[in-house]
Amino acid sequence: MITVFGKEGCSKCESLKKTLDNKGIEYKYIQDLKTLMTIASKNRIMSAPVIEKDGKYYPMEKFLEVI
């Protein structure tokens, strides 16, 4: 399963959720700024959303290349 870490009011987060829904990809969405900032910082990702798949973390643009 894919986990999406996002934040409130994030248009990229909403866009990603819509893309995943349209492709029928199951995901868990976590909207918690503290968690997002911690994960993003540890993985040197500079913008929301951060996506975790199979133990790896991706910024949205890189993740869209993978799926």
Side-chain angles (χ1 to χ4, degrees):
M1 168 147 337
I2 295 167
T3 303
V4 177
F5 299 91
K7 63 181 182 176
E8 187 174 343
C10 173
S11 61
K12 287 174 62 176
C13 299
E14 294 302 318
S15 174
L16 176 63
K17 290 193 304 185
K18 187 174 183 178
T19 298
L20 294 174
D21 289 339
N22 289 340
K23 291 181 179 258
I25 298 172
E26 290 186 37
Y27 63 94
K28 178 169 60 170
Y29 185 76
I30 298 175
Q31 184 173 300
D32 178 20
L33 188 58
K34 185 175 181 179
T35 302
L36 170 64
M37 297 303 288
T38 300
I39 290 169
S41 177
K42 285 182 180 178
N43 292 281
R44 298 183 181 175
I45 297 173
M46 305 310 278
S47 64
V50 175
I51 302 93
E52 184 272 327
K53 181 177 188 269
D54 300 329
K56 294 186 178 185
Y57 293 87
Y58 302 89
M60 182 175 150
E61 296 76 15
K62 292 289 183 189
F63 178 73
L64 292 175
E65 293 173 8
V66 172
I67 60 169

